[in-house]
Amino acid sequence: MEFKYVPSTCPYCGNGCGINLVVKDGQFAGISPWQRNPVNEGKVCIRGNKSFEFVNSPNRLTTPLIKKDGKFVEASWEDAYKEIASAFKAVKGDAIGVVASARNSNEDSFVLKNFAANVLKTANIDYCGRRCNADAVKGLADAFGAGATTNSLADLETAQAILVVGSNPLEENPLAGRRIIIAKQKGAKIIVADARKTPTARLADIHIACNPGTGVAVVNGIISAIIKAGKENKDFIAKKTSNFDKAKAAVASSTPEAVAKIAGIDAALITQAAEIFAAAQPAAVVTSAGAGSGDLIRALANLQLVTGNVGKAGAGVNLLRGKSNAQGAADVGAVPGENGLAVPAMIDAAAAGRIKALYVVGENIASAGAHVTDALGKLDFLVVQDLFLTETAAKANVVLPSASFAERDGTVTNAERRVQRIRKAIEPVGTSKADWQIICDIAKAMGHEKDFVFKDAEAIFNEIAKAVPAYAGINYAKLEKPEAIQWPAAGGVFGTAFLYADKFSTKDGKAAFAAVEYKAGEAAGAEFPFMVAAQWPMGTLSMNSASIVREWPYPVVAINKEDAHAQGIINGDAVKVSGKAGSVVLAAKVTAEIKQGVVSMPAGFAAAAVKLEKVTEEA
């Protein structure tokens, strides 16, 4: 019997927790704590702890599949490449789209970007996670100069106050949530704005149970109250920022009383939150890329600039990410080129017949709804590269089996800009290959042999370090230690724990305030009386992990107990949830931990207001 421990990085959320893969007789047998890793210090949530389950799933794709007469048949790699090369050569650049993944490695996304630009001749490349990340990342870039989280996750422990808006870290990013727990134990005051009494909200000293979509109003109210009390950091604002007067004017009408009416809360909560936050040094804000609209991010940036809480430990805007390499995919350029289409626009173009072919690497875009499935059905050619036969793969002409994170080498960059290694621990299942290898093989089949010759993943990373300024000086040897390196790397000698200690990355070196005003979204009304607070949905990896499925066997809609009683709904009932975009049937979770007039359901159902109908057996 042979055991070995291979240090790697968890493939789930953007925390980038360090884990040791336990290999027994050549098989991925489990996870062992990696105590020295600074991200999680050996602690792992259920997803990372059970990551060996999806790797070992019997549902893994093991050989290429080609669809013939409506059915998939197993094929050789050579035949699959010929089929793909022939189809891609027949499509002009602007009629083809490429979808990358925020859970693939930096090396995969870098090679895919170059494949799109130099082989397919298309600017239509995007990673699916940007659908919920793009506005948030742009907001950070516009405010501070770089589209990235400003601080390290460990900094949260040192904050004296933490405001959480649009995020539920204890469930969504548990090891970031752990840092908030430690901060509270050290005396920090926690403020949480959420319509639900989530595990994170239960930590709060102040829980602002605001209506969904009113986070901007709440943050503006806190800023307004701080300015009115004369507690803004005048010296910081004068020396390090611009446009303060515009931001001040934009929040002037956001009095606690005005915000209370918008958000459905007690006005005193806004005043109390402002007093706590203004008095705390340092103070941090935490939000999620999935919930963080551009306006919310700019409002949070304004709050941190008003209080001088940028450019030091324990402060900043902490943007949590849903997938392991959401930051890295953007860093290495898996984003639309000039005049290129983002993922939603590619779907619309496919539905309209302008996009003829699509190459999807590691994403299940069909899970977003029937409109995506319908659009995929109108394509002339679809290639999907993944671990499993997802809903998207089922629509494909050719499906290619990817190697898992445990079966290949590479790097990923977590939410705090930490570039970390993933390391090959076992051999790939069947004939599956690393995504970058498959992309290179397709390029060669299309006549681009010389441009896509890489000895290994390390050779690709060396090219990334040359092409991406923030990665300059980083190499695999410098990533061997568990601390790895947070970009910018300062020539690879050390990383940067928090940004903007000296100046901001804007042209003038100053942070830019923004005039952010609350814009009301779709409101509940007679037809759709309930507002929706989004839950984090389960994805491809989780659904192929038996332990996770046992804990969360099916999606639910959380309903306030009073609302449920009025609707004749009891816990476990099948409920049809309908909005303007369509309907879905979910199991009811009747609870007191959500405010009346609000329901909570997986984020994949794009609706702001809905109605509920109990599904009867007769129906």
Side-chain angles (χ1 to χ4, degrees), residues 110-430:
F110 184 77
V111 172
L112 186 61
K113 176 202 72 168
N114 285 290
F115 176 78
N118 300 318
V119 179
L120 300 180
K121 307 294 184 182
T122 182
N124 302 329
I125 178 171
D126 196 15
Y127 68 94
C128 202
R130 247 176 43 93
R131 182 178 60 183
C132 55
N133 282 253
D135 284 350
V137 169
K138 184 178 185 300
L140 287 175
D142 289 346
F144 304 138
T149 289
T150 61
N151 285 61
S152 302
L153 292 172
D155 277 5
L156 291 172
E157 290 185 18
T158 65
Q160 292 184 12
I162 300 173
L163 171 65
V164 183
V165 184
S167 185
N168 175 20
L170 263 69
E171 289 186 311
E172 298 168 352
N173 301 83
L175 274 301
R178 170 179 174 259
R179 301 290 186 178
I180 298 174
I181 292 173
I182 294 172
K184 184 175 176 68
Q185 291 171 340
K186 292 180 177 180
K189 298 296 184 182
I190 312 299
I191 306 163
V192 177
D194 198 314
R196 306 160 296 168
K197 192 78 171 180
T198 64
T200 309
R202 287 197 286 272
L203 276 180
D205 297 277
I206 297 179
H207 176 208
I208 304 172
C210 56
N211 293 329
T214 61
V216 170
V218 169
V219 177
N220 278 355
I222 294 172
I223 294 171
S224 180
I226 289 172
I227 294 172
K228 185 177 180 181
K231 297 297 179 65
E232 71 272 24
N233 190 324
K234 297 178 179 65
D235 186 59
F236 182 92
I237 292 168
K239 292 180 179 179
K240 295 195 172 186
T241 74
S242 62
N243 301 328
F244 172 63
D245 288 344
K246 292 180 180 179
K248 180 179 178 180
V251 302
S253 62
S254 296
T255 64
E257 293 73 23
V259 172
K261 291 179 181 179
I262 292 168
I265 58 174
D266 183 345
L269 293 175
I270 297 296
T271 303
Q272 292 166 15
E275 289 172 351
I276 287 172
F277 209 82
Q281 284 292 335
V285 298
V286 175
T287 189
S288 168
S293 68
D295 282 350
L296 178 58
I297 294 299
R298 290 310 300 269
L300 289 170
N302 285 349
L303 173 61
Q304 294 303 72
L305 295 176
V306 161
T307 55
N309 274 303
V310 189
K312 58 187 177 184
V317 178
N318 296 275
L319 183 68
L320 303 182
R321 304 300 192 96
K323 292 187 177 180
S324 60
N325 204 33
Q327 183 63 54
D331 293 343
V332 302
V335 296
E338 187 175 355
N339 298 319
L341 302 180
V343 171
M346 286 189 226
I347 299 304
D348 292 342
R354 296 191 302 274
I355 290 283
K356 303 292 185 182
L358 205 60
Y359 182 20
V360 180
V361 181
E363 279 291 354
N364 183 20
I365 57 177
S367 65
H371 68 293
V372 179
T373 303
D374 292 343
L376 296 179
K378 295 180 180 180
L379 293 168
D380 291 341
F381 198 73
L382 173 62
V383 180
V384 174
Q385 206 163 292
D386 213 322
L387 301 175
F388 300 96
L389 192 66
T390 62
E391 296 99 322
T392 307
K395 301 286 289 184
N397 299 87
V398 179
V399 178
L400 305 174
S402 298
S404 75
F405 84 109
E407 299 160 347
R408 33 103 59 91
D409 290 310
T411 60
V412 291
T413 306
N414 76 350
E416 60 177 3
R417 301 167 281 101
R418 193 181 301 271
V419 184
Q420 300 184 103
R421 287 290 313 278
I422 55 173
R423 295 172 175 86
K424 183 177 179 179
I426 58 174
E427 291 302 315
V429 299

